[in-house]
Amino acid sequence: MHPDAAMLAAVLVGNLLLLQRASAQNAGFVKSPMSETKLTGDTFELYCDVVGNPTPEIQWWYAEINRADSFKQLWDGARKRRVSINTAYGANGVSVLAITRLTLEDSGTYECRASNDPRRNDLRQNPAITWIRAQATISVLQKPRIDASDQVVLVHEGSHSTASPVTLQCNLTTTHNTHTGSFWMKNQQEIPGTRRDPKNTEYRLNKPRADDAGEYMCVYTFDKAPNANASIEVKAAPEIISHKRSENKNEGESAKLYCKSVGYPHPIWTWRKHRNGGWSEIDNSTGRFSIINNENYTELYIINLDISTDPGEYECNATNVIGNKTAKSILRVRSHLAPLWPLLGVLAEIFILVVIIVVYEKRKKPDEVPDDDEPAGPM
């Protein structure tokens, strides 16, 4: 090889290595896992977000309490499928470690390791040099024992009647930590005015209705431990409290019908249309219908309305394990010419008036004209 060519190749290789080093970025943590205290039976999640170029690889490791020198790698499905690891690689590397149905043995140190070093999996390398680490301590405490009332089913004779009074009760019987108070929640929201000190607490529904149904929880607070709770389900058949009774649209437009209910558990919604003397479920073979359900609320959308098939009576049905309820809506679809009808009516009235005037003028007798020979003036 010519000496100049060899020198040029060496310079190019050197520049390439410099560019690679300049574009490379060591792994670094954007978000590290946080230490937590949990109760047996609960679930915890640890997040790890790392950045680097190339995108770093992420691993999860675990060590028992007071044995930080004996880490073991965790994998998805470990501990009888109670461990789940979800990792995604893009501009960053993001990984979530979750463990369900916690036991006391799940306490320990959890470590997120990340590395984009090309030598990271070389057994001859020291992992402490090729991997960066972030640790979190998970402490699992024995869950207190709470005796709670059984589930309650509200029975209503009519849409406006109330069931018999209901009292929900909880009793904190066993705890390893100092109890500081309690309160009640409904559907994950604290009920105002329910904070108390006794271990035996109750909540009374004097005139329960369908909208009082839901998931109630008695929650106990402690001095140096997470809150503990017990759930009581108050069930009731659905009651539809609002719906669109009618909708007037022009053909080619879109229409929306909706229904809203109370009751618990949240219902399964279905929509039907009255056809040929009977009810049939909405058929979306044309692709013009869409139904959106959200717990106690449902919407039916119809696009590109057809005046020949879409008008009529629609029905929403809410069904849960206790019962069901329906509500009807009427959809009216007008022709494209509907906006012109007022104008056409005015024009028709003008046309008829002109015709009447013309006919009247033609049929009217001419006025008598006096002869010039007759003297003017009074007789």
Side-chain angles (χ1 to χ4, degrees):
M1 179 183 293
H2 194 277
D4 294 339
M7 184 177 296
L8 179 60
V11 172
L12 290 176
V13 171
N15 290 338
L16 181 60
L17 292 175
L18 290 175
L19 288 174
Q20 289 179 344
R21 292 175 182 174
S23 61
Q25 179 186 358
N26 292 335
F29 287 105
V30 177
K31 185 174 183 179
S32 303
M34 304 293 292
S35 298
E36 295 183 75
T37 300
K38 292 290 185 178
L39 300 176
T40 53
D42 289 347
T43 298
F44 77 79
E45 289 185 344
L46 298 178
Y47 296 84
C48 191
D49 187 352
V50 294
V51 65
N53 186 20
T55 304
E57 176 188 352
I58 299 176
Q59 296 178 356
W60 287 96
W61 293 69
Y62 164 78
E64 298 178 5
I65 295 178
N66 300 324
R67 297 191 62 182
D69 57 339
S70 59
F71 275 89
K72 300 178 181 179
Q73 187 173 359
L74 290 171
W75 67 92
D76 189 43
R79 299 182 186 175
K80 298 182 179 180
R81 300 187 181 278
R82 293 189 300 112
V83 174
S84 65
I85 299 176
N86 295 301
T87 306
Y89 294 104
N92 288 17
V94 180
S95 185
V96 180
L97 167 69
I99 302 182
T100 60
R101 305 188 307 277
L102 290 174
T103 66
L104 296 177
E105 289 73 22
D106 291 320
S107 297
T109 302
Y110 292 81
E111 187 175 82
C112 174
R113 296 184 182 181
S115 176
N116 59 0
D117 192 314
R119 305 166 300 165
R120 61 183 178 273
N121 293 319
D122 188 343
L123 298 180
R124 295 171 298 178
Q125 299 295 323
N126 184 356
I129 298 176
T130 56
W131 293 81
I132 60 172
R133 308 178 182 198
Q135 295 180 347
T137 300
I138 301 298
S139 300
V140 182
L141 306 178
Q142 183 64 48
K143 184 175 183 178
R145 180 179 175 182
I146 302 172
D147 293 336
S149 305
D150 294 331
Q151 69 176 19
V152 178
V153 177
L154 304 181
V155 179
H156 297 271
E157 299 296 334
S159 58
H160 299 288
S161 65
T162 57
S164 302
V166 171
T167 300
L168 309 180
Q169 294 181 324
C170 286
N171 185 23
L172 178 64
T173 58
T174 304
T175 178
H176 299 281
N177 298 279
T178 304
H179 162 251
T180 58
S182 65
F183 60 92
W184 286 85
M185 300 180 70
K186 178 191 176 185
N187 298 336
Q188 306 301 320
Q189 300 292 325
E190 182 177 346
I191 302 175
T194 60
R195 289 194 172 261
R196 301 287 187 273
D197 293 331
K199 294 183 178 181
N200 191 357
T201 181
E202 65 180 34
Y203 182 72
R204 183 176 175 84
L205 300 171
N206 293 318
K207 297 180 179 180
R209 303 172 64 91
D211 55 354
D212 290 318
E215 183 183 16
Y216 289 79
M217 284 197 307
C218 55
V219 183
Y220 290 90
T221 59
F222 301 91
D223 185 19
K224 295 181 179 179
N227 294 348
N229 63 73
S231 297
I232 304 173
E233 289 187 334
V234 177
K235 299 181 178 181
E239 288 287 342
I240 296 179
I241 57 175
S242 68
H243 66 284
K244 181 169 282 188
R245 289 175 169 79
S246 65
E247 177 85 320
N248 300 315
K249 290 291 183 178
N250 298 325
E251 60 179 326
E253 294 182 343
S254 298
K256 181 184 80 170
L257 305 176
Y258 68 86
C259 291
K260 183 179 181 181
S261 74
V262 293
Y264 187 84
H266 297 303
I268 297 174
W269 290 100
T270 56
W271 283 89
R272 302 189 297 177
K273 187 179 188 303
H274 195 265
R275 297 187 182 97
N276 302 322
W279 293 95
S280 59
E281 288 197 19
I282 297 295
D283 179 11
N284 194 28
S285 59
T286 62
R288 297 187 299 108
F289 297 86
S290 63
I291 298 174
I292 299 176
N293 298 329
N294 183 14
E295 294 183 349
N296 63 339
Y297 184 78
T298 181
E299 291 179 343
L300 169 64
Y301 288 91
I302 311 173
I303 63 174
N304 193 22
L305 289 172
D306 188 334
I307 195 172
S308 61
T309 60
D310 292 336
E313 197 172 19
Y314 291 78
E315 179 184 80
C316 64
N317 180 289
T319 301
N320 66 11
V321 294
I322 309 301
N324 66 84
K325 195 72 173 181
T326 61
K328 296 179 176 62
S329 304
I330 296 176
L331 175 62
R332 301 179 182 90
V333 182
R334 298 171 295 188
S335 169
H336 286 300
L337 300 178
L340 299 177
W341 288 346
L343 177 60
L344 294 176
V346 173
L347 294 177
E349 292 178 357
I350 294 175
F351 176 76
I352 295 173
L353 181 61
V354 170
V355 171
I356 292 174
I357 293 174
V358 171
V359 172
Y360 175 79
E361 290 294 334
K362 286 185 177 182
R363 298 186 62 180
K364 185 178 66 171
K365 293 181 179 180
D367 295 337
E368 294 183 357
V369 179
D371 294 337
D372 293 338
D373 296 339
E374 296 181 2
M379 294 294 294

